[in-house]
Amino acid sequence: MESAEEVTYARVTEIIGKTGSRGGISQVKVVFLKDSNRSLVRNIKGPVRKGDIIALMECEREARRLR
């Protein structure tokens, strides 16, 4: 069954750092493709680099900053 949830695409503009117990999560700043003056900080699992385009299932929550 396919869900009718909307996917939002965003481009990675900055890699802030690594987090998680083994460093497997990257904290990144993303800019939305449809609304270029809106940005969020998100946690991403797996390999990521600057310029990648990611699909966000949920685009309202923002990750807490690393200390």
Side-chain angles (χ1 to χ4, degrees), residues 8-64:
T8 306
Y9 294 100
R11 174 174 280 116
V12 176
T13 58
E14 178 185 353
I15 297 177
I16 297 170
K18 297 280 190 177
T19 185
S21 62
R22 297 185 182 171
I25 308 293
S26 301
Q27 193 165 73
V28 300
K29 181 177 275 194
V30 298
V31 172
F32 294 99
L33 295 181
K34 288 188 178 180
D35 187 9
S36 62
N37 55 353
R38 185 170 169 225
S39 66
L40 285 178
V41 174
R42 296 299 297 254
N43 292 328
I44 298 178
K45 182 178 180 180
V48 66
R49 35 181 192 192
K50 189 175 177 180
D52 284 354
I53 295 178
I54 59 171
L56 300 173
M57 300 302 288
E58 191 277 320
C59 62
E60 296 299 319
R61 274 188 300 176
E62 187 162 2
R64 284 185 271 145

